[in-house]
Amino acid sequence: MSRRGVVRLIAVSVLVAGALTPVLSAPAAGVTLPAGFAEQVVFSGLTQPTELEFSPDGRVFVAEKGGRIKVYDDLADTTPTLFADLSTNVHNQWDRGLLGMALAPNFPTNPWVYVLYTYDAPPGQTAPVWNDFCTDANNGTCVVTGRLSKLQASGDVMTGTEQVLIHDWCQQYPSHSIGDLEFGADGMLYVTGGDGASFNVVDYGQLPAGNPTNPCSDPTNEGGALRSQDVRTTADPTALNGALLRLDPNTGAAAPGNPMISSPDLNTRRIVATGLRNPFRLTMRPGTNEAWISETGWSTWEEVNRVIDPTASVTNFGWPCYEGVPRQPGYDSANLPVCENLYAAGTGAVTDPFVAWNHASKLVAGEACPTGSSSSTGIAFYPTSGGPYPAAYNGAVFFADYSRNCIWASLPSTPGGLPNPANLVTFGSNAATPVDLEVGPGNELYYVDHGGGTIRRIRYFPGNQPPTAVINATPTQGPVPLTVTFDGTQSTDPDPADQGKLTYAWDFTNDGTTDSTATAPSFTYTSAGTFTAKLTVTDTLGATNSSTVTITPGNQAPTATIDTPVAGTTWRVGDTITFSGHATDPQQGTLPASALSWQLRLQHCDGTCHTHVLQNWMGMASGSFVAPDHGYPSYLELQLVATDQDGLSHTVVRRLDPLTVTLTFATKPGGLQLVTGGVAQTATFTVTVIQRSTVTLSAPTPQTRNKRLYTFGSWSDGGAQTHVITAPTGPATYTASYTGSRA
């Protein structure tokens, strides 16, 4: 099992569970940035935002995963207009949804907004088919497609109907769906899409097990993740999964000059790069047609990939035959013809990542960013000159990891030059669930906080950094009169000269007046209503920051209760779990079902945890779901939110842990390599998995050990050399027997 040459910055390590495309997680407590930088929340109150675009006229477009696009008049606007609602067509479940958006060049004179989303229907059917709810979304039967469209803008609203440019990207599994889109300097539209394959097991089109035909009509040994190499399998029509496309933005057809523009297959003509698993984010190096891709990996590696010249030839990044720089052990061991042919072509047939990081290793030595769960999710270039950041950042490329909540920068060796993959700095640790990076007005870096529903800006203050206002209030609700004790003592300032010297201004009713300058005042509300109390802190050089809290005298929040499942409930993959709950309110009494909303989340943990929203239910007192198939360690969270008629809410969360089983993997003779879940290890070893989850077993053959050549003979369970098992409910041992001969 050979490897490609070692790429710069990659620490060889082992293990961890496969990474999914990111979704909801709790907002970070506070990002840590280099000296002189500070983060500000620009917009808040969004629902799972995914993409941010700035219009030349000052407007800001934000896409939400569920299919809604909102537009702000400018950075000071707090009440966005709904530009478009595509939620009927968008399949919003697990990691599927509206993920990509771009404004046409010269917008709004050229009044088109381009969108890329998961379409809520299998091939040949009309949305909505699933209505955002597949009973068992990750069993391979919840088949959907992808859609690239353009929407015409008239002011702040969409006019006319959606104009579909491409409808393709068949997907069986609810992750690595579609990706992103950007315009190049050539005016062409560049688009990415994921492979739509299983994130639990080696998937080459044989899933779901027992199906007489592949639901995406893939030929034998050419489906699943191998769709990412579809341009190399010419016996069937080419799919667009796992590829970068270069398109005519008016028609969606292949752009002139594409490397395979003479192919009789229309999709083949569109493709300029292939071998991608989940190219979640895309950016173009300013002034060029270089495409830079933030690629979310599987079991071990995350990547940033660079397509230097999209019209020269088709760039192949190797997935699933390679992950990072090495061969991917799970797909290598399966001896699949598509991968074996690629290996035989030599290392020159694939392109190494610009930067790659191992899930078990830090990217920058000594950094605060954690290891473990990882997902590459954002990328943006800083201008080569003229920005407010220090000159070292001129021409740098910023990239992010949603699971690690980290933002890095690859700096040029000379300011304004090409980013140097050996010159990496940790730009932001403990960031707030970043899923998109953009350089916006003022040449400042903005990012989308998916979990917290905010848009954040990172500013540079070379002389004096502003303070951070932190407001605490107790109580925030209750009967009239209501006396509230306020406290601003947790407010901070990063400049040493300002420590302990902040001044405070309180506006208890948001009427524009200063009611107190104390650090921790009290105020009595004598009438019922909803009030916004505001604290403004000022440092010694006049820099300010404000924070608010809502006070509701005369009204108290409801109390939500989850009745079932009860605390301590456990589950196996495939179990049907029913849920029910209720809520009471001091003013309204028992709340109706319409006041209740539920969310099912999966916490994917490996060193750190990140969250995947699996399903939402609105206006229901009860329901059910099927426990998902997923790698371990992970667990479920079921959340109930009760909201009263005045908007006050209460949230309760129930943790649901899986039942696990320990599986032992051995070889005869001992000490040979086996692959489980895409990770190679030396037998004998054990793996803990969720009961009834699916696991790929592979016995690489041939292998050489101690100058003897070993050829696979059989598995103790009678399975093929590479096969998928369903984990039992009790401990089990799987042994691969080999026949040895002198090498």
Side-chain angles (χ1 to χ4, degrees):
M1 297 174 61
S2 64
R3 297 174 181 270
R4 287 190 272 174
V6 178
V7 75
R8 55 259 169 197
L9 303 172
I10 300 182
V12 176
S13 183
V14 294
L15 183 72
V16 299
L20 304 183
T21 307
V23 285
L24 179 65
S25 181
V31 65
T32 300
L33 298 163
F37 288 91
E39 178 184 278
Q40 299 173 335
V41 174
V42 179
F43 304 128
S44 60
L46 295 159
T47 302
Q48 291 187 278
T50 53
E51 180 83 43
L52 171 69
E53 292 292 333
F54 295 99
S55 171
D57 61 10
R59 288 181 293 165
V60 184
F61 289 74
V62 179
E64 295 180 330
K65 182 170 171 284
R68 291 158 63 91
I69 300 173
K70 296 177 179 177
V71 57
Y72 296 85
D73 292 338
D74 50 42
L75 292 170
D77 188 6
T78 59
T79 55
T81 300
L82 181 63
F83 170 75
D85 187 349
L86 304 174
S87 57
T88 298
N89 284 346
V90 171
H91 183 79
N92 179 26
Q93 188 175 0
W94 281 67
D95 299 335
R96 296 167 169 174
L98 171 57
L99 302 185
M101 178 178 65
L103 304 183
N106 301 317
F107 186 89
T109 302
N110 187 7
W112 295 103
V113 178
Y114 290 78
V115 292
L116 185 65
Y117 64 86
T118 313
Y119 186 73
D120 193 359
Q125 298 188 44
T126 301
V129 170
W130 306 108
N131 289 290
D132 296 338
F133 180 68
C134 296
T135 303
D136 191 0
N138 67 342
N139 70 354
T141 60
C142 184
V143 180
V144 294
T145 45
R147 177 176 275 190
L148 169 68
S149 300
K150 62 178 184 177
L151 317 174
Q152 187 167 10
S154 177
D156 287 350
V157 297
M158 168 187 165
T159 60
T161 59
E162 172 186 2
Q163 298 188 29
V164 179
L165 300 180
I166 298 178
H167 195 138
D168 198 275
W169 296 282
C170 183
Q171 307 148 45
Q172 291 175 247
Y173 290 88
S175 189
H176 17 126
S177 181
I178 36 69
D180 203 4
L181 61 166
E182 291 286 341
F183 280 89
D186 55 8
M188 298 299 107
L189 181 62
Y190 291 76
V191 178
T192 63
D195 65 9
S198 171
F199 44 80
N200 288 321
V201 300
V202 173
D203 177 7
Y204 45 88
Q206 83 281 23
L207 304 172
N211 264 29
T213 59
N214 179 282
C216 287
S217 301
D218 298 305
T220 303
N221 293 339
E222 293 185 11
L226 290 175
R227 297 187 198 106
S228 296
Q229 296 291 332
D230 210 24
V231 74
R232 297 176 51 243
T233 59
T234 57
D236 65 306
T238 299
L240 299 177
N241 302 66
L244 170 69
L245 318 180
R246 180 175 177 266
L247 307 173
D248 180 330
N250 297 313
T251 64
N258 280 6
M260 295 185 290
I261 195 65
S262 61
S263 170
D265 187 295
L266 298 182
N267 276 353
T268 299
R269 297 179 189 178
R270 292 175 164 125
I271 294 174
V272 297
T274 190
L276 296 162
R277 176 181 184 265
N278 184 12
F280 186 70
R281 285 291 170 253
L282 169 70
T283 195
M284 310 301 291
R285 188 177 174 217
T288 76
N289 297 316
E290 287 186 22
W292 293 60
I293 301 167
S294 180
E295 161 84 329
T296 308
W298 186 29
S299 61
T300 311
W301 296 101
E302 303 300 314
E303 304 175 12
V304 169
N305 292 313
R306 177 190 179 202
V307 182
I308 298 175
D309 185 354
T311 62
S313 62
V314 175
T315 304
N316 191 340
F317 292 105
W319 173 261
C321 312
Y322 295 91
E323 184 187 15
V325 171
R327 295 186 185 187
Q328 210 299 316
Y331 287 89
D332 186 8
S333 300
N335 293 331
L336 301 163
V338 171
C339 287
E340 295 305 313
N341 292 338
L342 187 59
Y343 299 146
T347 58
V350 290
T351 298
D352 288 345
F354 175 78
V355 172
W357 56 105
N358 190 291
H359 292 194
S361 302
K362 291 184 180 292
L363 182 54
V364 176
E367 68 181 359
C369 297
T371 59
S373 296
S374 307
S375 46
S376 178
T377 56
I379 188 164
F381 271 91
Y382 198 71
T384 56
S385 63
Y389 289 7
Y393 290 94
N394 289 348
V397 62
F398 292 96
F399 56 100
D401 187 312
Y402 162 87
S403 300
R404 297 192 188 192
N405 284 325
C406 194
I407 301 172
W408 297 280
S410 174
L411 307 179
S413 299
T414 302
L418 182 73
N420 181 354
N423 190 10
L424 292 183
V425 296
T426 307
F427 186 71
S429 59
N430 201 34
T433 63
V435 295
D436 182 37
L437 304 180
E438 301 285 345
V439 173
N443 287 332
E444 295 173 312
L445 184 67
Y446 292 72
Y447 74 89
V448 176
D449 161 24
H450 185 72
T454 67
I455 305 298
R456 302 184 177 222
R457 170 176 57 196
I458 297 176
R459 312 202 78 172
Y460 181 61
F461 299 90
N464 178 50
Q465 297 183 69
T468 299
V470 178
I471 183 171
N472 289 297
T474 306
T476 58
Q477 54 187 270
V480 176
L482 179 67
T483 299
V484 180
T485 299
F486 294 93
D487 187 348
T489 56
Q490 294 184 28
S491 301
T492 59
D493 193 292
D495 297 309
D498 290 317
Q499 300 300 314
K501 298 181 180 179
L502 297 178
T503 58
Y504 300 79
W506 296 88
D507 180 352
F508 298 127
T509 56
N510 200 28
D511 62 0
T513 62
T514 298
D515 300 310
S516 175
T517 58
T519 304
S522 295
F523 184 79
T524 299
Y525 293 86
T526 58
S527 60
T530 300
F531 299 89
T532 299
K534 181 179 181 180
L535 167 63
T536 301
V537 293
T538 305
D539 69 12
T540 58
L541 294 179
T544 65
N545 183 248
S546 298
S547 182
T548 61
V549 63
T550 300
I551 309 297
T552 56
N555 188 27
Q556 294 172 269
T559 299
T561 301
I562 295 177
D563 299 315
T564 61
V566 299
T569 296
T570 55
W571 52 274
R572 299 179 177 92
V573 171
D575 285 351
T576 297
I577 300 175
T578 59
F579 60 86
S580 61
H582 68 278
T584 57
D585 183 83
Q587 290 76 42
Q588 296 175 241
T590 301
L591 295 183
S594 59
L596 307 180
S597 62
W598 300 81
Q599 184 176 87
L600 179 66
R601 304 188 290 257
L602 186 141
Q603 290 286 356
H604 176 196
C605 304
D606 191 14
T608 58
C609 292
H610 65 274
T611 309
H612 299 274
V613 174
L614 307 186
Q615 189 63 47
N616 291 287
W617 297 268
M618 307 298 292
M620 294 172 52
S622 62
S624 66
F625 60 88
V626 175
D629 189 354
H630 199 274
Y632 185 79
S634 59
Y635 61 91
L636 296 175
E637 288 181 333
L638 181 65
Q639 173 183 283
L640 171 61
V641 178
T643 306
D644 69 15
Q645 63 185 8
D646 296 311
L648 293 186
S649 64
H650 177 234
T651 300
V652 288
V653 177
R654 180 139 297 159
R655 174 168 170 159
L656 306 172
D657 286 300
L659 294 169
T660 61
V661 62
T662 299
L663 305 181
T664 301
F665 300 96
T667 60
K668 290 183 179 180
L672 298 178
Q673 290 274 301
L674 295 176
V675 178
T676 60
V679 177
Q681 299 183 69
T682 301
T684 299
F685 59 90
T686 61
V687 176
T688 300
V689 299
I690 300 172
Q691 294 181 19
R692 297 181 186 154
S693 64
T694 52
V695 182
T696 301
L697 308 187
S698 192
T701 187
Q703 299 186 48
T704 301
R705 180 172 178 266
N706 296 331
K707 298 183 179 181
R708 290 185 66 83
L709 186 69
Y710 292 94
T711 304
F712 169 76
S714 63
W715 277 100
S716 57
D717 67 344
Q721 178 243 337
T722 295
H723 64 289
V724 176
I725 65 167
T726 299
T729 57
T733 298
Y734 299 83
T735 302
S737 296
Y738 283 79
T739 301
S741 62
R742 186 65 61 182

